[in-house]
């Protein structure tokens, strides 16, 4: 008797729960891996995905799958393999990995359909136009609509609605439907637009780079293009994409969130027309789903996306491009902490295709791989076209102390810019008005009551704001301890904006930070505004420094870069160098030469000197030597345990236990390359009333790191859980807070 139950096929399903395992279910028929299913889980129903792992033979009783959502696998085998690899590498639950990878619509328990309905109207060629028009003499509106499609035009409803001759017609949709019912117009898919030839002739450095890419385009290769800002990297991407499209293949282009602007998208659309599709959080869910679909069926030629686009199935993928590969936004900082650049490289190797990484300031990791021969390296040393690199100079703050953040020399430089009607960017990576509110007498400081951090004063709403937990409070008028007056220490974007308004009352000044620009649309509008020359001075945070191609900006002023010199994080010099080179790169991209002024108390600092000389090679060499001496990435691999607890002692005790267990594993496995540090308080000790600790694991042999983490994390997973304790493991952490 039990045989009949046993003979039902059993499949492993990944469900979105924080457990690093799959669950087995049975169903009437076989289900192919990559299909979505609805399964009972505890007292809920969840959408899971069938995974090609062998079911656990020791279990004989299985629950039934409630429903199979996809008739055909939604995720093809190579991509599923890629997800599983990612889950293993990051030691993260496969169900959660898949949940992160899928677009929002697909996570839900709905059957999916092709989002592509034919939506372009044409005249039915069966009937001569003149005859049709004469039959429509009594229906003037329909006549107008019909003739809007003269000369073989093929238009969408919204395109028809925008035509000037249609402007008086109210209900275009129903008019078109009537014409369709009469068979006078047809609805079709529009054939893709022609690919425009690449008009720009590449210069010598660019052509050499392109030939190198072409010489190595069979199989897996990683190309690193180190090209200064404005050296024409994007133009090289466009040329390679062109080649791929001509062969009917597809290309995935990953860019940082902030640089996926209309300007960049238009540059691609200009060449490749409607083959270009975007995938990022700034577009609607249905548009994202449409891109996903068209990538999967091969019709999206170019997919321009941010981080999570790396997970998209793409039918005829020929190449992956990662622009600004050094950018921190490729690393997800919570939940599934993956690095999209690293995953893109893995994906290229699984799919046996080339990948191109581009940057003006390549990450230490990538450049190290290029030097050691793992990557092909191409270098672009000159700006393309007519522009030159800006000249960088220091303003020594020891000689001219700043007044509300601005030195005398900076002010007069801005003044000159205004006189010559040229645009200026002032860069300060701190939003708000002042980062510290302090008592003039007893030194009391306004701290967040939930975090170990100062509250930042925001003048726009006259409140104190915690930038770590979002807590806000009213601003006390006097010191709560001694009733003395308070003063505001340091400057953020708002204070610099205010100083400028006072100094240059006639100038148009714009603040560019997260408080001011809250949506993708606003970002777009603001960038347009700047590019149209309607702003004289822009005061911005890191948001302003990346990717944007402003043609009118000829002065960049860097207000306060010195913070970056005091940080204990071993990546701080790299971050500082990248930030300063990137923001400097916004100057002088148009026809006029650019300048950069850096205000600093440490002009003699070696890294500052390298920034000034725009000397990436020296920077790389000295940074590499330091890291080699200290045995840190890229000369070793890091994993970071993080613990957060409501009660301080509990978190610390847990982390000590984790450390001890790690020590035992290390001894028993005899892994000499693995170093387990001592548990320490995180640099910010408490955020949102969670006490924070961390434990660093450093290994010179990466496989040993992964091998020790497997049993280690299983042990931690099996510890009793408590809502007052949380833990996470970050593989290749990019920040150590
Ligand atoms: P990057 O991506 O390295 O910042 P871009 O490709 O955006 O550089 O090029 C910077 C500017 O130079 C753009 O305005 C681009 O159109 C122009 N440009 C690029 N290559 C050439 C070339 N070979 N000849 C003339 N102009 C070029
Ligand atoms: Zn006081
Ligand atoms: Zn706080």
């Amino acid at each position: 008797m039990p045989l009949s139950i046993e003979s039902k096929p059993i499949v492993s399903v990944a469900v979105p729960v924080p457990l690093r395992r799959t669950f087995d279910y049975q169903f009437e028929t076989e289900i192919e891996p990559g299909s979505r299913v609805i399964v009972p889980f505890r007292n809920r129903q969840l959408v899971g995905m069938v995974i090609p792992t062998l079911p656990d033979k020791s279990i004989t009783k299985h629950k039934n799958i409630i429903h199979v959502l996809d008739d055909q696998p939604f995720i093809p085998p190579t991509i599923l393999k890629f997800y599983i690899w990612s889950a293993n590498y990051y030691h993260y639950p496969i169900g959660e990995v898949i949940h992160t990878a899928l677009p929002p619509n697909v996570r839900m328990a709905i059957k999916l359909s092709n989002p592509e309905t034919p939506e372009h109207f044409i005249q039915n060629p069966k009937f001569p136009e003149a005859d049709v028009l004469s039959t429509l003499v009594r229906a003037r509106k329909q006549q107008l609509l019909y003739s809007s499609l003269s000369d073989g035009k093929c238009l969408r409803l919204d395109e028809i609605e925008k035509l000037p001759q249609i402007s008086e017609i109210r209900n275009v949709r129903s008019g078109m439907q009537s014409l369709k019912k009469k068979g006078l117009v047809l609805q079709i898919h529009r054939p893709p637009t022609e690919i425009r030839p690449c008009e720009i002739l590449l210069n010598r450095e660019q052509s050499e780079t392109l030939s190198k890419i072409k010489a190595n385009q069979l199989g897996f290769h990683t190309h690193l293009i180190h090209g200064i800002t404005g050296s024409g990297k994007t133009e090289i991407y466009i040329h390679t994409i062109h080649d791929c499209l001509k062969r009917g293949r597809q290309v995935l282009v990953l860019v940082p969130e902030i640089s996926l602007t209309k300007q960049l998208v238009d540059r691609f659309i200009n060449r490749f027309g409607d083959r270009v599709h975007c995938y990022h959080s700034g577009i609607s869910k249905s548009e994202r789903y449409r891109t996903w679909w068209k990538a999967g069926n091969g019709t999206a030629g170019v997919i321009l996306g941010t981080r999570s686009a790396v997970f998209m199935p793409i039918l005829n993928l020929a190449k992956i491009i990662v622009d600004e590969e050094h950018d921190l936004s490729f690393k997800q900082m919570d939940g599934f902490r993956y690095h999209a650049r690293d995953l893109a490289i893995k994906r290229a190797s699984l799919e046996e295709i080339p990948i191109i990484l581009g940057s003006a300031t390549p990450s230490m990791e990538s450049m190290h791989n290029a030097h050691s021969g793992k990557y092909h390296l191409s270098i672009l040393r000159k700006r393309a076209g007519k522009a030159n690199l800006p000249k960088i100079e220091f303003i020594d703050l020891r000689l001219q102390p700043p007044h509300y953040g601005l030195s005398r020399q900076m002010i007069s430089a801005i003044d000159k810019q205004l006189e010559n009607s040229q645009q200026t960017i002032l860069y300060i990576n701190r939003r708000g008005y002042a980062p510290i509110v302090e008592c003039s007498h007893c030194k009391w400081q306004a701290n967040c009551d939930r975090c170990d951090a100062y509250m930042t004063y925001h003048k726009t709403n006259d409140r104190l704001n915690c930038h770590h937990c979002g807590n806000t409070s009213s601003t006390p008028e006097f010191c709560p301890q001694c009733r003395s007056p308070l003063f505001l220490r340091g400057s953020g974007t708002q204070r610099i904006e205010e100083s400028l308004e006072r100094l240059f009352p006639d100038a148009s000044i714009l603040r560019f930070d997260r408080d001011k620009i809250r949506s993708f649309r606003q970002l777009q509008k603001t960038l347009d505004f700047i590019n149209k020359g309607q702003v004289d001075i822009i005061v911005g945070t890191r948001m302003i420094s990346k990717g944007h191609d402003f043609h009118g900006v000829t002065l960049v002023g860097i207000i306060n870069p010195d913070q970056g010199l005091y940080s204990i994080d071993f990546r701080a010099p790299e971050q500082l160098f990248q930030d300063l080179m990137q923001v400097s790169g916004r100057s002088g991209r148009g026809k006029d030469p650019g300048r950069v002024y850096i205000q600093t108390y440490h002009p003699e600092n070696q890294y500052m000197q390298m920034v000034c000389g725009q000397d990436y090679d020296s920077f790389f060499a000295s940074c590499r030597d330091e890291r080699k001496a200290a045995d840190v990435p890229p000369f070793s691999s890091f994993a970071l345990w993080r613990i957060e607890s409501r009660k301080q002692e509990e978190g610390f005790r847990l982390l000590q236990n984790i450390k001890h267990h790690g020590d035992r594993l290390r001894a028993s496995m005899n892994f000499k390359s693995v170093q387990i540090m001592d548990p320490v308080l995180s640099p910010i000790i408490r955020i949102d009333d969670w006490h924070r600790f961390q434990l660093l694991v450093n290994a010179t042999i990466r496989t040993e790191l992964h091998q020790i983490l497997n049993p280690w994390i299983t042990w931690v997973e099996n510890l009793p859980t408590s809502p007052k304790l949380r833990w996470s493991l970050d593989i290749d952490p990019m920040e150590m807070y």
Side-chain angles (χ1 to χ4, degrees):
M1 268 317 272
L3 258 181
S4 65
I5 298 169
E6 279 312 299
S7 62
K8 276 189 187 172
I10 296 177
V11 291
S12 295
V13 177
V15 285
V17 295
L19 298 167
R20 289 177 321 122
R21 50 165 294 195
T22 54
F23 297 86
D24 294 345
Y25 292 89
Q26 63 180 15
F27 196 61
E28 314 302 323
T29 54
E30 293 283 352
I31 310 169
E32 277 187 75
S35 310
R36 296 173 311 135
V37 292
I38 300 177
V39 294
F41 190 87
R42 309 229 162 110
N43 297 323
R44 293 176 292 164
Q45 294 190 355
L46 295 176
V47 179
M49 184 168 286
V50 177
I51 295 291
T53 38
L54 291 178
D56 185 347
K57 288 256 169 52
S58 63
I59 301 170
T60 48
K61 254 189 91 197
H62 293 99
K63 287 190 197 160
N64 283 308
I65 282 176
I66 298 170
H67 187 59
V68 181
L69 286 166
D70 303 321
D71 307 328
Q72 285 182 341
F74 192 75
I75 300 296
T78 45
I79 299 297
L80 202 52
K81 200 166 139 197
F82 171 56
Y83 294 172
I84 295 168
W85 186 90
S86 308
N88 289 335
Y89 182 85
Y90 289 103
H91 299 269
Y92 206 69
I94 178 69
E96 303 258 16
V97 167
I98 293 174
H99 190 77
T100 309
L102 298 181
N105 298 12
V106 180
R107 296 174 192 162
M108 292 186 296
I110 43 171
K111 261 193 151 28
L112 297 165
S113 55
N114 188 343
E116 286 298 284
T117 47
E119 49 187 22
H120 289 88
F121 290 98
I122 53 164
Q123 292 179 348
N124 189 342
K126 249 181 22 202
F127 310 113
E129 182 168 352
D131 294 357
V132 174
L133 287 175
S134 64
T135 63
L136 289 175
V137 273
R138 291 171 164 277
R140 210 184 94 73
K141 281 182 192 168
Q142 288 183 25
Q143 202 183 33
L144 267 175
L145 289 172
Y146 180 80
S147 41
S148 74
L149 299 171
S150 291
D151 307 322
K153 278 201 201 69
C154 173
L155 298 173
R156 261 195 333 254
L157 197 64
D158 59 304
E159 291 167 332
I160 298 170
E161 280 168 343
K162 282 189 202 118
L163 296 172
Q165 70 267 33
I166 302 300
S167 59
E168 63 197 78
I169 300 179
R170 281 264 188 74
N171 204 336
V172 176
R173 179 185 298 270
S174 75
M176 291 312 293
Q177 286 311 326
S178 317
L179 286 170
K180 196 177 151 192
K181 262 194 214 130
K182 294 179 188 163
L184 301 176
V185 303
L186 304 174
Q187 240 177 327
I188 59 158
H189 283 290
R190 179 160 58 188
T193 49
E194 289 295 307
I195 305 173
R196 302 241 321 260
C198 295
E199 289 147 3
I200 293 187
L201 267 184
L202 297 185
N203 63 32
R204 213 195 72 231
E205 288 184 326
Q206 286 172 314
S207 329
E208 281 171 10
T209 305
L210 191 65
S211 330
K212 214 166 177 177
I213 292 170
K214 278 189 181 163
N216 298 290
Q217 62 182 355
L218 288 178
F220 171 57
H221 290 273
T222 310
H223 295 271
L224 175 62
I225 306 179
H226 172 206
I228 60 166
T229 52
S231 58
K233 296 182 290 296
T234 311
E235 211 49 54
I236 297 175
Y237 307 153
I238 287 174
H239 274 74
T240 35
I241 293 170
H242 191 107
D243 282 348
C244 295
L245 295 189
K246 274 196 307 200
R247 289 183 283 125
R249 307 287 299 274
Q250 296 168 277
V251 181
L252 171 65
V253 185
L254 297 177
V255 297
E257 193 92 36
I258 192 80
S259 29
L260 191 44
T261 55
K262 192 165 166 297
Q263 196 181 21
L264 183 79
V265 177
D266 280 352
R267 218 168 140 184
F268 283 86
I269 289 182
N270 192 10
R271 303 291 174 83
F272 307 123
D274 52 15
R275 286 180 174 77
V276 178
H277 291 269
C278 292
Y279 191 81
H280 58 95
S281 57
I283 59 175
S284 68
K285 279 184 198 164
S286 58
E287 211 176 325
R288 270 207 265 181
Y289 178 57
R290 190 183 295 260
T291 299
W292 179 282
W293 190 276
K294 291 188 144 193
N297 73 8
T299 47
V302 187
I303 299 119
L304 270 176
T306 51
R307 195 167 63 211
S308 63
V310 75
F311 297 113
M312 199 182 301
I314 301 171
L315 189 66
N316 285 315
L317 187 60
K319 217 165 247 157
I320 306 178
I321 295 169
V322 183
D323 191 27
E324 314 281 1
E325 64 85 26
H326 67 277
D327 198 90
L328 275 186
S329 73
F330 285 122
K331 169 88 174 170
Q332 175 133 319
M333 301 288 193
D334 53 13
F336 174 30
R337 296 177 155 89
Y338 66 96
H339 198 303
R341 175 202 59 215
D342 296 347
L343 282 186
I345 295 169
K346 182 64 198 177
R347 178 165 176 180
S349 89
L350 286 173
E351 300 204 27
E352 296 180 44
I353 54 168
I355 175 166
I356 302 171
L357 312 177
S359 173
T361 50
S363 62
M364 292 301 293
E365 283 81 357
S366 296
M367 192 46 95
H368 177 65
N369 282 328
H371 280 266
S372 63
K374 270 173 88 176
Y375 298 173
H376 305 273
L377 177 64
S378 300
I379 304 177
L380 308 172
R381 297 177 196 278
K382 288 200 304 282
R383 275 197 169 170
K386 295 204 176 62
N388 284 311
L389 266 191
K391 204 164 148 240
I392 303 186
E393 286 171 60
F394 289 126
I395 297 175
D396 190 339
L397 291 180
R398 293 168 303 190
L399 306 179
Q400 41 173 319
H403 191 61
Y404 295 119
L406 297 172
S407 61
R408 203 168 18 79
Q409 203 181 338
M410 190 71 90
I411 294 169
S412 74
I414 300 169
D415 201 25
K416 278 236 179 61
Q417 289 288 103
L418 294 172
E419 244 170 60
N420 300 332
S421 318
Q422 303 217 316
Q423 289 176 307
T424 302
I425 289 178
L426 294 180
Y427 170 69
I428 176 164
N429 201 24
R430 186 184 268 154
R431 57 197 179 89
Y433 188 86
I436 301 173
V437 180
E438 196 173 86
C439 169
S440 52
H441 177 68
C442 76
K443 299 291 171 230
W444 171 90
Q445 289 172 324
N447 281 318
C448 177
D449 52 12
R450 297 192 222 143
C451 305
D452 273 309
Y454 300 123
M455 296 285 265
T456 301
Y457 176 63
H458 282 241
K459 194 162 190 171
T460 42
N461 55 1
D462 189 29
R463 283 181 79 79
L464 297 176
N465 237 308
C466 175
H467 287 184
H468 299 284
C469 73
N471 190 8
T472 77
S473 66
S474 58
T475 312
E477 229 166 294
F478 299 102
C479 171
Q481 275 180 184
C482 74
R483 315 295 302 158
S484 308
L486 295 171
F487 80 103
L488 301 167
R489 206 147 69 115
S491 305
T493 44
Q494 292 178 5
R495 191 171 212 167
I496 301 294
E497 181 189 25
E498 187 186 81
S499 302
L500 292 166
E501 278 165 355
R502 207 173 316 125
L503 289 161
F504 307 108
D506 298 329
S508 144
I509 298 161
L510 183 128
R511 182 155 54 79
F512 198 99
D513 59 24
R514 207 141 50 77
D515 299 310
K516 194 74 186 277
I517 295 168
R518 291 166 173 275
S519 69
F520 192 73
R521 264 192 46 213
Q522 235 171 343
L523 170 70
Q524 207 45 68
K525 267 173 64 184
T526 314
L527 290 173
D528 284 347
F529 201 61
I530 298 173
N531 277 321
K532 285 198 189 113
Q534 281 157 322
V535 184
D536 299 316
I537 311 169
I538 307 130
V539 183
T541 55
R542 196 177 273 159
M543 276 177 95
I544 193 81
S545 72
K546 297 193 202 169
H548 313 303
D549 192 16
F550 303 124
H551 280 226
V553 175
T554 50
L555 174 67
V556 166
I558 297 169
I559 305 294
N560 177 20
D562 290 349
Q563 292 162 278
L565 297 173
Y566 311 134
S567 170
I568 48 163
D569 191 335
F570 77 96
R571 285 189 211 274
E574 181 181 9
Q575 185 70 57
L576 179 72
F577 187 82
Q578 287 168 351
D579 277 352
L580 298 190
M581 294 309 291
Q582 288 295 334
V583 68
S584 301
R586 297 319 112 203
S587 183
R589 296 175 77 91
K591 59 184 197 321
D592 296 315
R595 276 172 313 152
V596 178
Y597 283 126
I598 303 179
Q599 298 190 148
T600 176
Y601 287 99
H602 303 279
E604 72 297 333
N605 176 284
Q606 59 155 341
Y607 290 123
M608 286 295 188
Q609 287 292 327
M610 291 164 190
V611 167
C612 188
Q614 314 195 45
D615 186 358
Y616 177 88
D617 295 339
S618 304
F619 167 78
F620 173 76
S622 84
C623 208
R624 177 195 54 207
D625 294 346
E626 276 176 20
R627 294 208 192 169
K628 191 164 176 134
D631 253 342
V632 297
F635 298 93
S636 72
S637 305
F638 275 6
L640 190 69
W641 288 98
R642 290 197 182 86
I643 300 290
E644 293 177 305
S645 63
R646 287 297 188 200
K647 288 210 183 94
Q648 192 165 8
E649 323 73 66
E650 281 181 13
F652 194 66
R653 208 177 316 125
L654 172 62
L655 198 54
Q656 264 179 330
N657 284 338
I658 292 178
K659 147 98 175 150
H660 290 150
H661 190 74
D663 286 337
R664 281 195 291 275
L665 286 170
R666 181 178 174 276
S668 71
M669 297 170 104
N670 199 18
F671 281 170
K672 300 228 165 53
S673 103
V674 177
Q675 241 186 314
I676 304 173
M677 310 299 179
D678 285 322
V680 293
L681 293 168
S682 300
I684 301 169
I685 300 171
R686 187 176 51 115
I687 291 181
D688 206 8
D689 259 335
W690 289 92
H691 297 270
R692 308 167 77 243
F693 307 90
Q694 60 194 44
L695 171 67
L696 183 65
V697 189
N698 187 8
T700 44
I701 302 173
R702 185 182 277 280
T703 48
E704 290 195 352
L705 179 68
H706 286 284
Q707 281 174 35
I708 196 171
L709 286 174
N710 275 326
W712 199 356
I713 195 168
T714 306
W715 182 83
V716 175
E717 264 177 348
N718 287 318
L719 293 174
T721 56
S722 151
K724 293 182 178 143
L725 269 177
R726 334 193 259 224
W727 60 267
S728 65
L729 178 63
D730 193 349
I731 307 297
D732 307 326
M734 293 304 286
E735 44 143 59
M736 310 291 260
Y737 301 113

